[in-house]
Amino acid sequence: GAGVSQTPSNKVTEKGKYVELRCDPISGHTALYWYRQSLGQGPEFLIYFQGTGAADDSGLPNDRFFAVRPEGSVSTLKIQRTERGDSAVYLCASSSTPGTSGRINEQFFGPGTRLTVL
Amino acid sequence: TQLLEQSPQFLSIQEGENLTVYCNSSSVFSSLQWYRQEPGEGPVLLVTVVTGGEVKKLKRLTFQFGDARKDSSLHITAAQPGDTGLYLCALNKGGSEKLVFGKGTKLTVNP
């Protein structure tokens, strides 16, 4: 079956520009996550959606970053006034249901969008 | 300060050798996951360990969760070039759904 897909796979933009990154989760998965992975680092949490609402956006670094999931499936991560420090791989993951009793639910990751800000 | 410390950061070995990589924390965690990430791909879950002292095997991979639930190890027997990748440990912090990852161990297995 289809896994998590992300588009574009690569995005090169200039400092100050606006970008949108798209994530198509596994069909039927209610939870969707965005992470950012810089070179030589593990993924870093940005935001988590349960259905259409952002259940936890504590990882968004500042107000230039915003994400939506209007119909509870596809999500878009939006970055305004991009800076060179925003260059990273942006990963999306989805899972079927939240974990229970403190246990982690399995998250399925997409291949990521590599963003380069010149 | 990293919540999860992974070591070594880099490891390059020959095919057929054994290796162990480590994931440590100063905090107790309820469960921990190990992922492998190949270049250009997202992380793929290998295992979730839950019980202190637990040992899980996945073919040539053996995962151990420390008795105090503050550390974990991954041992690979007779490594193969296909084992090459970034090995990440992760936990969920504060009972939330978000994963907190270590920096990973980048493993290269040379033929």
Side-chain angles (χ1 to χ4, degrees):
Chain A
V4 177
S5 62
Q6 293 186 245
T7 55
S9 55
N10 283 283
K11 176 71 177 178
V12 180
T13 190
E14 293 180 343
K15 180 176 179 294
K17 299 288 188 182
Y18 168 84
V19 297
E20 290 189 352
L21 311 179
R22 177 187 167 109
C23 172
D24 281 83
I26 293 172
S27 178
H29 278 190
T30 58
L32 185 145
Y33 312 80
W34 284 99
Y35 294 85
R36 177 169 70 175
Q37 187 171 24
S38 300
L39 195 62
Q41 304 290 323
E44 181 183 24
F45 171 79
L46 296 175
I47 187 169
Y48 153 56
F49 287 90
Q50 183 58 37
T52 60
D56 183 352
D57 65 357
S58 62
L60 294 177
N62 51 60
D63 61 6
R64 295 187 298 106
F65 288 75
F66 188 72
V68 295
R69 195 186 185 199
E71 298 179 357
S73 55
V74 171
S75 176
T76 305
L77 178 66
K78 308 180 180 191
I79 310 175
Q80 297 177 322
R81 304 184 303 281
T82 52
E83 300 177 357
R84 292 194 180 88
D86 298 336
S87 296
V89 175
Y90 288 81
L91 293 164
C92 176
S94 68
S95 66
S96 55
T97 57
T100 57
S101 303
R103 295 184 58 170
I104 313 169
N105 197 31
E106 181 174 4
Q107 296 181 19
F108 296 83
F109 284 81
T113 292
R114 180 175 295 279
L115 175 66
T116 303
V117 182
L118 301 176
Chain B
T1 304
Q2 282 279 115
L3 183 61
L4 290 172
E5 297 285 345
Q6 291 194 245
S7 61
Q9 188 175 356
F10 300 98
L11 186 58
S12 181
I13 62 171
Q14 293 300 120
E15 183 175 1
E17 293 183 358
N18 302 330
L19 67 112
T20 302
V21 299
Y22 301 91
C23 176
N24 296 290
S25 174
S26 57
S27 304
V28 175
F29 32 85
S30 57
S31 61
L32 181 132
Q33 294 184 326
W34 284 94
Y35 288 80
R36 178 169 65 212
Q37 184 177 23
E38 298 185 23
E41 301 293 330
V44 175
L45 179 67
L46 296 173
V47 77
T48 300
V49 287
V50 178
T51 306
E54 181 176 7
V55 176
K56 283 192 173 179
K57 292 195 173 185
L58 186 66
K59 298 183 181 177
R60 294 176 293 101
L61 277 60
T62 302
F63 303 85
Q64 188 156 10
F65 200 13
D67 291 339
R69 306 208 321 272
K70 296 171 68 174
D71 58 274
S72 182
S73 64
L74 159 58
H75 180 80
I76 301 179
T77 304
Q80 299 177 0
D83 296 326
T84 292
L86 179 68
Y87 287 81
L88 295 156
C89 61
L91 54 80
N92 68 325
K93 184 179 178 186
S96 72
E97 289 302 305
K98 65 186 179 186
L99 291 176
V100 176
F101 286 87
K103 288 187 177 183
T105 292
K106 188 172 182 181
L107 172 65
T108 302
V109 182
N110 302 297

